[in-house]
Amino acid sequence: MRNVISASLLFLSQQALADTHYQLDITQGAHHLGDVKVSFDKTGQSYIDAKFPAWRTGRYNILDLANGVRYFEAKDENGDALKWQKIDKSTWRVFLDEPTKVTLNYQVYANELGLRARHIDDTHAFIDASGFFMYSEATRNDPVTVQLNVPKSWRSVSGMETGKNKHQFVAPNFDVLVDSPIETGINEFHTFTVDNRDYELVIWGEGNYDSKKMVADLTTLVKTGNVIWDDYPYERYVFMVHATSGARGATEHLNSTIIQRQRDKFAKREDYLGFIATAAHEFIHTWNVKAYRPAGMVPYDYIEPNYTRLLWLAEGSTSYLEDHLLLRAGLMTKKEFFKDLAKRINRHLLTPGRDTQSVAQTSFDAWINQGGDHGKNYSTNIYSEGSLLSMVLDLKLLNDSNTQVSYRDVHRALYNNHKLPQGFNEQDVLSILQDVSGQDYSQWWAQNVDAPMQVDFDALLNLVGLERVYPDDAKAIASLDANTSLDKGLLKLDHVRRGGASWQAGLTAGDVIVALDGRRISTDLATSLGQYKAGDEVTVSYFRRDRLQTATLLLGEQFDKDAKVQPVAAPTDEQKAMFKAWVGVDLID
């Protein structure tokens, strides 16, 4: 894929013009407004359907991005108005009486920073093509140019090749454009080179970050690609960072990523580890998703959902592998690795939905799955559940092969044999598993992928000389088996764990608890529960729909500190070897 894209971009950089032209003028940044001009080459069709993407790559939700479009108009090559009709929520049909070039003009409202689709203000613009630019299926594969007309003091950066000026970019087709966001504005900019590949770091926004440390650690991180894959699918890569006042998250792209963090969430070690882990996650996506991905996601539709039962492998496996690269690179300590592993396991065990929805089902339903109370009780998550399943598969491969085969071999084979545009399906993965291990994994797949996985974490961790235990000073305490938050000074149930104490008593999310056994409950729930022990019967007074009600509840049990993962007291040589083969470092220093 790298050679094809590089050759196309080189060809484009030598061209005078491309076939489809996009222009974005930013003159009302404070009002989050941009004026877009789209020019399609001459066509003899009776009409052109100009489509505005309904979702963007890397986020599997329908966003209906056409909702920001106003003042649409269409003109022919002479500047005369063309008739048009909007035929669905995302499509403008432009009628043509004779062959002509077509120019579209419209305004876009760009104030969805957290969606990482579009944002304009008086200091910058983040431009994901899916949030700004209409396309036509008839010209989707044609070369494109993007011209930005922005304040003179702004700097524009993208994974695309630069065109005739510093605010112009070129791409071989719309799919590359939509997977190559642009950050333009007042920003901090750094470049570095590793193994003859060029890297850029652009940071918008003020924050408590140390950009020199970011460059140093990213330099270390990008050297780890060969831990899994045989080569790199790019020659240039751009890290974009937003230090913001609320938006957070990240999205992978063809040869770049956008990472958003709260501006004060960089300096503390825990916060910085979150940043570099996110960078590792998106870096891995350069292979897993951008170089190879499930066939159901090839090509991207942009209007309708792309369905696949393998999204857990695309996203969850990426979450799993990020800590491995960080640990091998020395960017994460073993103690931090164990802490994150314990967090993932603890979260899984507190999610009743793990018994209801398999990773294959949650992959297919990612477009409609919800979080919140019902989601935790009846669903799983492609990231967290997919990450744990990847660990289960990795350790099974290592154990079955006496440490000779790992999950890395599976991803190496996917990259070598299933590069885009072909994609891969479930049978392809099963064939790879058999090829690398010499064993049939179809039964394991049926029990753990197609059905909710059942994991004995004690046995699993023991393979690599680890154990999951509670701290010595942890104490068993009474529990409502529910998550709470303060709402106007009152204790509200946010999540009632299915099958737990509150669930059995008939309480539900949204109920506001005011008393236990007639005594006003403290805003610090632990204080009020401190006088009870697990199994005690209590009378709960609560408001539901503003009406005071009571229920009898048998208190559950939990520990006041989370379980942790640590090495066993005396690991065997076999356990040490398994651990080293698993993560690439020694279990005992």
Side-chain angles (χ1 to χ4, degrees), residues 452-469:
M453 67 173 179
Q454 301 295 323
V455 184
D456 181 344
F457 285 106
D458 290 335
L460 188 70
L461 293 174
N462 186 258
L463 290 173
V464 288
L466 300 177
E467 61 182 357
R468 178 177 175 270
V469 297

Side-chain angles (χ1 to χ4, degrees), residues 364-543:
F364 192 86
D365 283 347
W367 296 88
I368 59 173
N369 266 350
Q370 300 178 8
D373 182 61
H374 183 266
K376 291 179 181 178
N377 279 328
Y378 292 98
S379 304
T380 52
N381 176 283
I382 55 173
Y383 296 91
S384 56
E385 203 74 358
S387 174
L388 285 178
L389 181 62
S390 298
M391 179 180 73
V392 172
L393 179 54
D394 196 4
L395 292 180
K396 178 173 173 55
L397 285 166
L398 285 163
N399 190 52
D400 289 349
S401 66
N402 193 26
T403 74
Q404 298 306 300
V405 175
S406 76
Y407 194 42
R408 299 190 303 277
D409 295 300
V410 175
H411 280 269
R412 186 178 301 112
L414 285 170
Y415 176 59
N416 291 337
N417 303 325
H418 295 277
K419 288 188 179 74
L420 293 178
Q422 67 182 91
F424 60 87
N425 56 35
E426 294 173 69
Q427 186 55 53
D428 292 326
V429 181
L430 283 168
S431 295
I432 289 173
L433 286 168
Q434 184 158 18
D435 288 344
V436 299
S437 71
Q439 299 183 38
D440 183 0
Y441 274 66
S442 57
Q443 184 176 356
W444 178 91
W445 191 276
Q447 294 173 344
N448 294 277
V449 178
D450 293 332
M453 67 173 179
Q454 301 295 323
V455 184
D456 181 344
F457 285 106
D458 290 335
L460 188 70
L461 293 174
N462 186 258
L463 290 173
V464 288
L466 300 177
E467 61 182 357
R468 178 177 175 270
V469 297
Y470 286 96
D472 293 338
D473 58 348
K475 296 182 298 183
I477 59 175
S479 172
L480 294 178
D481 292 333
N483 297 339
T484 62
S485 65
L486 286 178
D487 183 13
K488 299 178 181 178
L490 298 175
L491 207 62
K492 184 179 71 171
L493 298 181
D494 293 326
H495 168 53
V496 175
R497 202 149 50 245
R498 177 165 57 88
S502 292
W503 179 281
Q504 295 291 345
L507 296 176
T508 190
D511 289 344
V512 176
I513 301 177
V514 294
L516 295 179
D517 286 338
R519 291 186 293 272
R520 180 179 175 180
I521 195 167
S522 170
T523 54
D524 178 8
L525 181 60
T527 298
S528 291
L529 290 175
Q531 59 187 304
Y532 298 100
K533 62 180 182 298
D536 284 351
E537 182 178 284
V538 298
T539 299
V540 180
S541 301
Y542 63 97
F543 281 105

Side-chain angles (χ1 to χ4, degrees), residues 69-360:
V69 175
R70 296 294 185 270
Y71 303 119
F72 178 88
E73 64 178 16
K75 296 181 179 181
D76 64 15
E77 60 190 20
N78 297 317
D80 295 327
L82 292 168
K83 293 180 180 180
W84 60 272
Q85 178 183 357
K86 196 170 183 184
I87 61 173
D88 61 42
K89 63 183 181 179
S90 300
T91 308
W92 286 254
R93 177 163 291 174
V94 180
F95 299 97
L96 309 176
D97 295 329
E98 59 184 10
T100 182
K101 294 182 178 180
V102 177
T103 299
L104 310 178
N105 294 288
Y106 52 90
Q107 183 187 82
V108 170
Y109 177 69
N111 194 25
E112 296 89 7
L113 181 62
L115 294 180
R116 294 180 295 286
R118 58 181 177 223
H119 187 254
I120 296 173
D121 68 13
D122 56 335
T123 66
H124 94 130
F126 176 72
I127 304 160
D128 185 304
S130 62
F132 284 89
F133 300 140
M134 294 184 183
Y135 70 100
S136 168
E137 288 290 352
T139 61
R140 177 170 168 172
N141 293 320
D142 292 347
V144 300
T145 61
V146 178
Q147 177 64 53
L148 306 180
N149 293 327
V150 297
K152 291 183 179 179
S153 61
W154 286 19
R155 176 178 19 234
S156 299
V157 181
S158 175
M160 289 182 285
E161 290 289 319
T162 302
K164 291 181 177 180
N165 59 69
K166 63 182 181 180
H167 297 300
Q168 186 182 91
F169 300 95
V170 294
N173 53 55
F174 182 79
D175 292 283
V176 172
L177 168 63
V178 86
D179 229 341
S180 306
I182 303 168
E183 174 61 34
T184 181
I186 302 169
N187 50 58
E188 184 176 336
F189 185 69
H190 301 270
T191 62
F192 55 101
T193 301
V194 179
D195 296 332
N196 296 317
R197 284 179 288 275
D198 297 324
Y199 296 88
E200 298 171 10
L201 169 64
V202 56
I203 309 171
W204 168 71
E206 298 176 348
N208 62 358
Y209 51 80
D210 181 343
S211 56
K212 290 184 179 180
K213 178 174 177 55
M214 292 165 70
V215 169
D217 288 347
L218 291 173
T219 298
T220 300
L221 171 65
V222 299
K223 296 176 182 178
T224 63
N226 59 10
V227 169
I228 304 173
W229 301 280
D230 293 328
D231 58 45
Y232 285 66
Y234 61 84
E235 296 173 357
R236 173 173 164 263
Y237 192 93
V238 180
F239 291 95
M240 301 177 183
V241 177
H242 289 168
T244 76
S245 298
R248 56 186 300 272
T251 301
E252 72 278 3
H253 289 285
L254 192 63
N255 65 333
S256 62
T257 182
I258 170 64
I259 300 171
Q260 295 177 330
R261 293 186 66 81
Q262 295 182 32
R263 62 181 76 256
D264 61 348
K265 294 294 185 180
F266 289 89
K268 293 181 180 179
R269 173 58 187 173
E270 184 177 357
D271 292 335
Y272 183 75
L273 187 60
F275 162 73
I276 200 66
T278 301
H281 182 101
E282 307 309 328
F283 175 63
I284 291 168
H285 269 317
T286 314
W287 289 267
N288 186 21
V289 171
K290 293 309 172 183
Y292 59 90
R293 63 175 174 264
M297 298 168 64
V298 182
Y300 288 131
D301 188 281
Y302 303 129
I303 301 297
E304 299 296 332
N306 282 86
Y307 294 106
T308 174
R309 290 166 55 87
L310 289 169
L311 201 54
W312 68 270
L313 191 151
E315 293 292 350
S317 295
T318 300
S319 294
Y320 169 67
L321 292 169
E322 68 189 51
D323 283 359
H324 286 240
L325 293 194
L326 293 176
L327 186 61
R328 287 171 181 266
L331 298 173
M332 169 185 274
T333 67
K334 279 186 290 188
K335 184 176 181 180
E336 290 168 336
F337 177 80
F338 296 151
K339 181 178 179 180
D340 190 63
L341 177 57
K343 181 180 178 180
R344 292 174 190 262
I345 294 173
N346 293 338
R347 182 171 52 202
H348 166 83
L349 294 175
L350 288 175
T351 304
R354 72 183 188 278
D355 297 324
T356 304
Q357 192 175 54
S358 71
V359 293

